[in-house]
Amino acid sequence: MSQSLALARFLPYRCNSLARKISVSLSRIYAEKYGLSIPQWRVLVTLAEYGELQASQVTELTSLDKVQVSRAVAGLSERGLLRRRSSERDSRAALLCLSDTGQTLFHRIEPEVLAWEQALLAPLEPAEQEVLFTLIDRLELRLQEMRPVGDATTGAGRSP
Amino acid sequence: MSQSLALARFLPYRCNSLARKISVSLSRIYAEKYGLSIPQWRVLVTLAEYGELQASQVTELTSLDKVQVSRAVAGLSERGLLRRRSSERDSRAALLCLSDTGQTLFHRIEPEVLAWEQALLAPLEPAEQEVLFTLIDRLELRLQEMRPVGDATTGAGRSP
DNA sequence: GGCAAAAGGTTTCCAATGCAACCATTTGCC
DNA sequence: GGCAAATGGTTGCATTGGAAACCTTTTGCC
């Protein structure tokens, strides 16, 4: 007997809904208080963590596409929160790092955001938090496995 | 000692990222094969489950806002997948239910979607699946608790 | 009964998002 | 060395999505 579909017990729906609610709630900190969009916020975090990166690396690390990164960088740059210089090895590549202002801003936001996350996770035991992250890891891994063989990134460049 | 922020271990990011990947992957079924948007798909599922509902109830059950529901309904209605009639109790209210065509379509998609979900969840033991849903429930609950007292829905309609 | 406020839905408008076309540079191959 | 293809990043354009204004009907109050 096959079970039937109810949104309340349907993982794609539940996951989407949870993610949405988390975003809306969290964005009160970095969006409303500090005027950052989600992509801008992710770029900020990533540069704070890694120092200097190429735009393409930021793309990798943030799960944003290159258009989003480009626009986020433009916005942050206008506000003087990051500097970009072009690589001497490859003059197409843009090297990005936070300015002092950017670092300062990040260090002001970071504890607020971490505190918010702690508040969210507070009802879960540390072990349960571990389980949660592990489950997410495993599901993401599984999604990659499920990707059908002939995907977009496959037959790259054969016929003209 | 306060921990520092890294996206890989930051729940909002991980959750968003997972939800996005799930949506993209799943939408190959109902979007590409059957031409349904996510809101349309949710409305379809909900009406299949509950029979006849008012638009406002659909809004509740799907976590969509009323604009999305309105547009989804318009689209489904154009394709003849649902019927709407106005309530005799309240002529503003629209009563929605699937047409036969809509039911048929749903019954064709449902098993595919459930099979896909099963494939996604396959690496998790049943007990782990249970844990996953429970964790999601608890986080959603927590988010509601965290909502500051004077929220948007509060002082509704006082001054002109 | 009549008028102000609220509620159900739809439409309008603007910002965010994503795809595709686009420049500029670099790589690879002959 | 030179030309075709590939790569890094940006810009334009069409679509999506959400907030607010809107219309209609209903409710509540005097």
Side-chain angles (χ1 to χ4, degrees):
Chain A
M1 176 181 100
S2 96
Q3 71 179 71
S4 77
L5 207 162
L7 286 184
R9 188 70 194 185
F10 183 51
L11 187 63
Y13 167 71
R14 294 303 308 276
C15 202
N16 232 308
S17 176
L18 177 62
R20 163 72 54 107
K21 286 171 188 168
I22 289 178
S23 278
V24 167
S25 185
L26 177 62
S27 72
R28 285 183 207 163
I29 297 177
Y30 57 72
E32 292 180 14
K33 281 181 70 175
Y34 299 101
L36 296 171
S37 68
I38 292 182
Q40 288 177 341
W41 163 244
R42 289 202 197 158
V43 170
L44 198 74
V45 174
T46 304
L47 290 178
E49 185 178 353
Y50 289 90
E52 188 171 67
L53 289 177
Q54 228 176 276
S56 58
Q57 298 177 291
V58 174
T59 299
E60 282 290 318
L61 292 165
T62 53
S63 310
L64 297 169
D65 75 33
K66 61 181 187 173
V67 177
Q68 286 178 300
V69 170
S70 173
R71 293 203 256 243
V73 165
L76 293 172
S77 174
E78 261 176 39
R79 286 176 60 182
L81 298 173
L82 65 76
R83 287 190 308 263
R84 58 175 139 190
R85 61 193 190 84
S86 65
S87 162
E88 49 270 9
R89 319 209 87 222
D90 183 342
S91 52
R92 294 168 305 177
L95 293 175
L96 310 168
C97 68
L98 295 188
S99 66
D100 292 349
T101 324
Q103 298 245 3
T104 304
L105 180 65
F106 175 73
H107 287 125
R108 200 169 339 140
I109 304 180
E110 185 187 31
E112 287 187 60
V113 165
L114 284 174
W116 182 90
E117 188 194 19
Q118 282 316 305
L120 173 61
L121 289 171
L124 308 187
E125 308 279 328
E128 291 177 317
Q129 298 184 17
E130 210 50 52
V131 168
L132 176 61
F133 281 101
T134 305
L135 288 172
I136 292 175
D137 287 338
R138 289 167 67 193
L139 287 172
E140 290 217 329
L141 216 59
R142 178 66 178 146
L143 278 167
Q144 277 190 317
E145 291 170 11
M146 284 172 66
R147 198 158 300 183
V149 249
D151 208 358
T153 50
T154 307
R158 193 51 126 57
S159 47
Chain B
M1 178 180 96
S2 96
Q3 71 179 70
S4 77
L5 206 160
L7 285 185
R9 189 69 195 187
F10 184 51
L11 187 62
Y13 168 70
R14 294 303 308 275
C15 201
N16 233 310
S17 178
L18 177 63
R20 161 74 52 107
K21 286 170 187 167
I22 290 178
S23 279
V24 167
S25 185
L26 177 62
S27 72
R28 285 181 207 166
I29 297 178
Y30 57 71
E32 291 180 14
K33 282 181 69 176
Y34 299 101
L36 297 172
S37 67
I38 292 183
Q40 287 177 340
W41 160 245
R42 289 203 196 157
V43 169
L44 198 74
V45 174
T46 304
L47 290 178
E49 185 178 354
Y50 290 91
E52 187 171 69
L53 288 176
Q54 228 176 276
S56 58
Q57 297 176 293
V58 174
T59 299
E60 282 289 320
L61 292 165
T62 54
S63 308
L64 298 169
D65 75 32
K66 60 182 185 172
V67 177
Q68 289 177 299
V69 169
S70 173
R71 293 202 258 240
V73 165
L76 293 172
S77 174
E78 262 175 39
R79 286 177 59 183
L81 298 172
L82 66 75
R83 288 191 307 263
R84 59 175 139 188
R85 60 193 191 83
S86 65
S87 162
E88 49 269 8
R89 322 207 84 224
D90 183 341
S91 51
R92 293 169 306 178
L95 293 175
L96 309 168
C97 68
L98 295 188
S99 67
D100 292 349
T101 323
Q103 298 245 2
T104 304
L105 180 65
F106 175 73
H107 287 126
R108 196 165 346 134
I109 304 180
E110 184 187 32
E112 286 188 60
V113 166
L114 284 174
W116 183 91
E117 188 194 19
Q118 281 316 304
L120 173 61
L121 289 171
L124 308 187
E125 308 279 328
E128 291 177 317
Q129 298 185 15
E130 209 50 51
V131 167
L132 176 61
F133 280 101
T134 305
L135 288 171
I136 293 174
D137 286 338
R138 289 168 66 193
L139 288 171
E140 290 217 330
L141 215 60
R142 179 65 179 148
L143 278 167
Q144 278 191 317
E145 292 170 11
M146 284 172 66
R147 199 157 299 183
V149 249
D151 209 357
T153 49
T154 307
R158 196 48 129 58
S159 48

